[in-house]
Amino acid sequence: MPDLLPLRIHFEDPKIAPLDLDASDADDARQLAATRRGVPAGAIPKVKIIKDESRR
């Protein structure tokens, strides 16, 4: 199993709060977040690696 990265997902709709999750890459994170929030993957313009070491 590949190492998981701590990622923060930002949505187009400002009413949807960003979501933190662990995934193997940005595409995987985008799909997981879209499923969890019930939005299309295209509604996620930004996926960032969380640099905060306390998050890990």
Side-chain angles (χ1 to χ4, degrees), residues 20-42:
D20 291 348
L21 52 81
D22 295 328
S24 57
D25 60 33
D27 290 332
D28 186 34
R30 186 173 273 112
Q31 290 302 319
L32 285 169
T35 300
R36 289 184 185 176
R37 293 289 198 242
V39 299

Side-chain angles (χ1 to χ4, degrees), residues 4 12-13 15 17-18 20 26 31 41 44 52-54 56:
L4 297 178
E12 274 184 355
D13 185 345
K15 292 183 248 175
D20 291 348
Q31 290 302 319
I44 302 170
D52 180 8
E53 291 296 319
S54 68
R56 290 184 177 198

